[in-house]
Amino acid sequence: MHSKPVKQMWLPLLVEGELGTCDLSAENPQPGTGLMERVLAPENLRAAYRRVRANKGAPGVDGMTVGELAGYLRANWTAIREQLLAGEYQPTAVRGHELPKPGGGMRVLGIPTVLDRFLQQALLQVLQPEWDPTFSDASYGFRQGRSAHQAVERAQRYYREGYRWVVDVDLEKFFDRVNHDKLMALVGERITDWRVRRLIRRYLKAGMFSGGILTAREEGTPQGGPLSPLLANLLLDGLDKELEKRGHRFVRYADDANVYVRSRRAGVRVMDSMSRYLREKLKLIVNEQKSAVAKPRERSFLGFSIGKGGSIHVSDKAIKRFKERIRAMTQRTRGRSLRQIIAELRSYLRGWREYFGLASGRSRLRELSAWIQRRLRSYQWKQWGARGYRELRRRGVSRDLAWNTCKSAHRAWRLSMSPALGIALPTRYFVKLGLPLLQEVR
């Protein structure tokens, strides 16, 4: 007798004609098979591929782009799948990429290869629906159907209920300090398939290639991979459950945790107990310089602060970051036309206003709009240079006012408030070029 050939399942990858079909599964997984088989189910892999393509992203250490993934899978998927099923797949090291933090310093992203992003996404799609419902209701970061705005509104509700002191906890280099053994113990409580547990540990242990040097990793979960946010929530869910057991009012968004109490004295006690719990149970360190017990209006939570009566405002820290960004975009040395500068500003300002539209009041937004226009007038005045007098006259400024402005000893920033530049470059001029007004953008 001849044995029956293994049934092949050819699946379209939906890549708009670039690949056609790709054998993503040697056989159709049967009900009751292990977690790894569910991860490698055809529909799950197709969804993971579509998400990775939509997210785009930079190449990893192997240089493979998202557009090259389909061809690579067509040529190598059979071998990759066999390695995964046997628990032998070895992830590639991540590529280290530094980004400046808004508050100073650098954040190191670990960018996995496109193939590993695809496999992590497939893992995430199976694990997240099972784990997410078990997480705390006070956790909002990296969870479907939850947002930063909802977290801020929850904090506002606590304030209005009389909890007007906040224990603002900042975890020192959280993603770099995650303890692998502690995290894998929590993973082991939820996953029985040894192949998936081994794969997750290998992703945690994958080295980082940066500056021509490969560095081994004994702790941390690199920011940049699809799986890291879920693992972070798994670890910090222990903190959430502890706070719930103690009856605290709190909000957590990723590693940004705020506990709301009725007095400073209570806040100091909570800060001490949280620091001890994080250190002893989760092996995490609280950054004492950036953490504090204070009034919510004095702190920044996801870019917002809570003021009198529970009103939500853009925090001073967020305003500072905003102005730093605008200054960088309107530097004279960039050598771009005013129209080009405004085109760049338009995208940033619309996104910024959409996020901070949660804040109450328009006066602060009008002040920022006026400040941006000053930056643009100053930028344009510097670009005009010796043509300043002619440009002012062409735009309706009187001869005497134009002459006095050009002969002024004041620098461009001071002159940006002058009547002449207000006449030559009014608000409606910038709006016509496409500049959004913050108080009017929706």
Side-chain angles (χ1 to χ4, degrees):
M1 292 180 64
H2 296 287
S3 61
K4 292 183 179 180
V6 176
K7 182 181 179 181
Q8 300 291 312
M9 179 167 288
W10 293 87
L11 302 168
L13 267 183
L14 306 179
V15 292
E16 300 177 356
E18 109 182 12
L19 178 60
T21 60
C22 176
D23 182 12
L24 284 180
S25 179
E27 56 185 17
N28 191 12
Q30 298 299 316
T33 55
L35 181 60
M36 181 61 81
E37 282 76 14
R38 290 170 54 200
V39 171
L40 299 178
E43 289 300 324
N44 188 54
L45 292 174
R46 279 206 296 266
Y49 179 83
R50 288 194 295 267
R51 176 58 64 90
V52 169
R53 274 187 62 89
N55 289 345
K56 300 179 181 178
V61 295
D62 61 356
M64 184 192 302
T65 65
V66 172
E68 295 169 328
L69 176 60
Y72 185 84
L73 290 175
R74 182 173 57 184
N76 298 282
W77 178 246
T78 299
I80 294 169
R81 184 180 185 278
E82 290 176 355
Q83 292 173 16
L84 289 164
L85 288 172
E88 297 174 353
Y89 178 80
Q90 184 63 53
T92 305
V94 299
R95 179 171 66 85
H97 178 66
E98 289 189 342
L99 288 176
K101 290 183 178 181
M106 302 299 291
R107 173 183 289 112
V108 180
L109 296 183
I111 303 175
T113 63
V114 174
L115 173 61
D116 282 324
R117 294 209 295 272
F118 166 64
L119 296 177
Q120 286 192 36
Q121 181 64 35
L123 268 172
L124 177 69
Q125 291 169 179
V126 173
L127 297 179
Q128 190 165 40
E130 295 182 357
W131 293 5
D132 196 83
T134 69
F135 291 156
S136 169
D137 185 58
S139 168
Y140 288 86
F142 309 119
R143 299 182 64 187
Q144 293 182 351
R146 290 171 171 255
S147 68
H149 284 182
Q150 291 173 336
V152 174
E153 288 170 342
R154 187 177 186 127
Q156 179 190 44
R157 185 169 74 248
Y158 289 147
Y159 183 95
R160 287 177 171 171
E161 290 173 357
Y163 297 88
R164 297 181 179 177
W165 287 84
V166 62
V167 183
D168 187 0
V169 176
D170 183 275
L171 295 175
E172 189 172 299
K173 297 182 178 179
F174 168 72
F175 283 94
D176 298 332
R177 296 279 177 86
V178 168
N179 183 278
H180 289 176
D181 291 337
K182 179 61 183 178
L183 178 57
M184 287 308 302
L186 295 172
V187 170
E189 293 175 1
R190 294 171 179 256
I191 295 177
T192 58
D193 192 320
W194 65 271
R195 299 164 299 177
V196 177
R197 294 201 307 265
R198 174 180 286 183
L199 181 59
I200 291 175
R201 181 176 280 278
R202 285 180 172 177
Y203 274 124
L204 292 174
K205 295 286 187 183
M208 179 175 291
F209 198 80
S210 181
I213 300 174
L214 179 61
T215 304
R217 282 214 319 273
E218 298 302 324
E219 62 180 2
T221 174
Q223 297 182 72
L227 203 55
S228 289
L230 179 64
L231 295 177
N233 271 337
L234 175 62
L235 181 62
L236 290 174
D237 188 59
L239 173 64
D240 298 342
K241 295 300 193 291
E242 183 67 19
L243 292 172
E244 287 176 349
K245 186 173 70 174
R246 298 180 186 183
H248 290 307
R249 278 77 174 166
F250 71 97
V251 188
R252 184 176 63 80
Y253 192 96
D255 58 333
D256 198 348
N258 279 3
V259 182
Y260 292 85
V261 295
R262 291 187 183 275
S263 68
R264 178 177 181 81
R265 186 176 179 181
V268 171
R269 288 199 304 270
V270 171
M271 176 68 81
D272 290 342
S273 63
M274 282 183 68
S275 299
R276 186 165 54 254
Y277 178 87
L278 288 164
R279 181 177 63 253
E280 296 175 358
K281 300 296 185 180
L282 301 185
K283 311 300 181 186
L284 297 170
I285 304 299
V286 171
N287 187 327
E288 295 183 0
Q289 292 184 336
K290 294 184 178 180
S291 302
V293 177
K295 291 288 189 178
R297 65 175 178 271
E298 300 169 0
R299 306 299 292 177
S300 178
F301 179 54
L302 303 175
F304 297 93
S305 61
I306 300 175
K308 187 175 181 180
S311 56
I312 298 174
H313 304 279
V314 183
S315 70
D316 291 340
K317 186 182 293 186
I319 294 292
K320 181 180 178 182
R321 289 198 297 264
F322 173 83
K323 287 191 171 184
E324 287 173 352
R325 180 71 180 272
I326 298 298
R327 287 189 185 100
M329 296 174 75
T330 56
Q331 286 180 349
R332 179 189 180 188
T333 54
R334 299 196 64 201
R336 299 169 70 82
S337 70
L338 190 65
R339 188 179 295 274
Q340 290 172 317
I341 293 294
I342 289 177
E344 292 180 21
L345 286 171
R346 181 162 58 245
S347 175
Y348 174 69
L349 292 177
R350 284 177 173 167
W352 191 90
R353 182 62 182 86
E354 182 178 353
Y355 179 75
F356 286 103
L358 182 66
S360 59
R362 291 287 181 268
S363 60
R364 193 76 181 268
L365 299 180
R366 282 193 291 270
E367 290 173 5
L368 288 175
S369 281
W371 179 82
I372 292 168
Q373 291 175 54
R374 279 197 67 187
R375 292 288 307 178
L376 294 175
R377 291 187 185 104
S378 177
Y379 184 89
Q380 184 67 87
W381 182 251
K382 290 174 182 176
Q383 281 208 329
W384 282 343
R387 306 194 327 268
Y389 177 81
R390 185 166 61 252
E391 294 290 349
L392 291 177
R393 291 287 292 136
R394 190 165 68 87
R395 286 167 169 76
V397 178
S398 68
R399 181 180 303 171
D400 289 344
L401 184 55
W403 178 258
N404 291 334
T405 303
C406 291
K407 293 303 179 181
S408 172
H410 294 308
R411 294 181 180 274
W413 180 244
R414 178 73 176 273
L415 289 175
S416 64
M417 294 184 65
S418 67
L421 287 178
I423 294 170
L425 302 171
T427 298
R428 63 178 178 277
Y429 173 77
F430 296 123
V431 170
K432 188 175 181 179
L433 289 180
L435 179 72
L437 300 180
L438 291 178
Q439 66 271 27
E440 296 179 5
V441 177
R442 294 291 185 268

